[in-house]
Amino acid sequence: MEALIVLLPGDGIGPDVTTAAKQVLEAVADKYGHRFTFREELIGGAAIDACGDPLPPATIAACEACDAVMLGAVGGPKWSDPNAEVRPEQGLLKLRSTLGVYANIRPVRIYDELAAASPLKPELLNGVDLIVVRELTGGIYFGEKTRNESSASDLCLYNSYEIERIVRVAAKLAAGRRGKLCSVDKANVLETSRLWRDVTDRLIAAEFSNIELETLLVDAAAMHLLSRPSDFDVIVTENMFGDILTDEASMLAGSMGMLPSASLGDSARGLYEPIHGSAPDIAGQGIANPCGAIASAALLLRHSLGLHDEAAAVETAISVAITNGARTADIAADDEAVESTTEMTDVIIRCLN
Ligand code: NAD
């Protein structure tokens, strides 16, 4: 098949891991006889430096005209003045809403060999295989903001249709897995959460009677994710709770660098990115873990291009590389040899072939 993929490397370690994902996609194209064309555009701090805009019109146009978008990460100390009018994260938020990708899907998979890299006891990690589905284009991150010298406000707004469509995505995923859905809210204090709970209960009863629905308050969910992570199958939640819980869930896997994400809307075009940020503390050292970005490329193959065998082959290649002992610094035990970003990528490509 032919596909046009836009690459948005962004800032910090973003370019390193995006290059790794691109190399793996090229290896997939060679092996399976596909033709992928790549086009690179600016986003985030790199775009602010180049033209003062974290999401330039050329980037928007390219993303609207392609089959899938592969993003690295945005942000860093250079652009982190909280009073700055233009910030890298604005580019990412605008890109998500421009593409209408309201469902952020974050699978958390544990590799047995990396149990030691997680701060949790290995016995708690047994059998952990969950997906967090985070609402991505609504809630407090997108609501009206006010600020004066002594006060500030951020509006959290949700409409029923925004809740319905994200819960439907999550319930469909659960139906294809263990049939368990956990909806996370803060219905004891937030009106938006009470709407979230009503809509979820109604939708599941009407459309997914075969799904087992559990409801948790976000504070309890934060605790249960650590005390009984293997009980969860699919978790669905609103934007800010999902942002926080997915970082917490990443610790189950041992490193932010391991985990992928897919952001999807109603069309096949999706936005794919590792869950980590630009990691300024290790930027420029060539030591970033590319696994999260490469696993995101696998999600791209599956969800935007419909290439299921190829996606599974990439995931297997990561798994085999880990089983064979390949480790970047973030997941290596003290006595293990450490691969650079490019070496780890090469190992995964060799496993693919
Ligand atoms: P971060 O994810 O960049 O880093 C957190 C820690 O994890 C750091 O110690 C880092 O070295 C490590 N880490 C992250 N990715 C890694 C990888 N691939 N390999 C090895 N180690 C890795 O989060 P942060 O430090 O809170 O944020 C840094 C910057 O990134 C900030 O400007 C923030 O706004 C931005 N950010 C961007 C995104 C995004 O682009 N989607 C997401 C989160 C944070």
Side-chain angles (χ1 to χ4, degrees):
M1 82 171 299
E2 294 201 2
L4 173 59
I5 298 168
V6 167
L7 301 173
L8 305 177
D11 309 316
I13 62 168
D16 299 3
V17 299
T18 311
T19 299
K22 179 186 179 206
Q23 286 170 344
V24 170
L25 288 168
E26 284 170 337
V28 167
D30 280 352
K31 183 174 156 88
Y32 292 88
H34 303 304
R35 193 155 163 262
F36 299 154
T37 308
F38 297 93
R39 180 169 164 183
E40 195 171 309
E41 296 290 344
L42 292 168
I43 191 169
I48 293 174
D49 286 353
C51 62
D53 182 347
L55 190 69
T59 301
I60 297 177
C63 291
E64 286 180 332
C66 71
D67 296 295
V69 181
M70 180 79 223
L71 175 90
V74 300
K78 183 174 177 192
W79 310 278
S80 67
D81 176 359
N83 296 317
E85 289 211 345
V86 183
R87 298 169 54 83
E89 295 75 17
Q90 292 164 345
L92 191 49
L93 292 184
K94 187 169 170 193
L95 179 63
R96 290 169 177 165
S97 72
T98 303
L99 294 179
V101 287
Y102 56 81
N104 183 235
I105 295 172
R106 298 188 173 197
V108 179
R109 184 182 161 192
I110 311 293
Y111 298 88
D112 291 344
E113 297 85 352
L114 299 185
S118 170
L120 257 71
K121 293 184 194 130
E123 59 267 29
L124 282 174
L125 297 172
N126 252 341
V128 171
D129 175 12
L130 62 90
I131 298 181
V132 182
V133 179
R134 165 188 168 196
E135 202 289 325
L136 203 58
T137 53
I140 200 165
Y141 291 1
F142 284 89
E144 194 191 338
K145 295 169 191 314
T146 67
R147 173 82 191 260
N148 62 33
E149 266 185 22
S150 56
S151 70
S153 70
D154 299 278
L155 178 70
C156 183
L157 173 70
Y158 269 111
N159 294 294
S160 302
Y161 77 90
E162 293 173 296
I163 303 169
E164 273 166 20
R165 65 186 183 181
I166 188 81
V167 173
R168 203 171 272 123
V169 168
K172 280 186 188 157
L173 276 173
R177 292 168 49 95
R178 285 182 279 148
K180 289 168 67 171
L181 180 65
C182 174
S183 175
V184 174
D185 61 40
K186 187 72 184 164
N188 53 343
V189 278
L190 295 179
E191 212 51 63
T192 41
S193 280
R194 286 193 267 272
L195 179 69
W196 184 282
R197 196 174 281 207
D198 287 349
V199 170
T200 302
D201 286 348
R202 236 182 299 129
L203 184 95
I204 298 300
E207 296 180 23
F208 298 93
S209 52
N210 52 340
I211 294 272
E212 183 191 324
L213 176 66
E214 175 187 17
T215 302
L216 282 180
L217 295 175
V218 63
D219 37 348
M223 194 178 69
H224 289 283
L225 253 182
L226 300 183
S227 62
R228 54 174 186 100
S230 60
D231 283 354
F232 294 102
D233 182 12
V234 177
I235 296 173
V236 63
T237 190
E238 60 103 85
N239 203 342
M240 184 167 69
F241 299 160
D243 192 7
I244 298 165
L245 289 180
T246 46
D247 268 24
E248 184 191 1
S250 75
M251 283 296 95
L252 302 171
S255 168
M256 301 277 285
M258 289 303 297
L259 297 183
S261 83
S263 300
L264 307 171
D266 291 327
S267 79
R269 186 179 48 235
L271 170 65
Y272 301 86
E273 51 179 314
I275 73 150
H276 61 74
S278 58
D281 53 334
I282 57 165
Q285 298 176 31
I287 59 168
N289 184 343
C291 289
I294 293 171
S296 302
L299 296 179
L300 181 158
L301 292 166
R302 180 176 296 124
H303 293 290
S304 284
L305 308 186
L307 298 174
H308 296 272
D309 290 349
E310 289 83 339
V314 171
E315 286 162 350
T316 303
I318 298 171
S319 185
V320 172
I322 299 284
T323 303
N324 289 348
R327 300 281 185 275
T328 42
D330 55 316
I331 52 171
D334 290 343
D335 57 344
E336 283 177 324
V338 166
E339 315 280 349
S340 68
T341 308
T342 48
E343 286 165 346
M344 187 71 171
T345 308
D346 290 345
V347 173
I348 292 169
I349 290 173
R350 277 201 298 279
C351 293
L352 179 72
N353 290 323

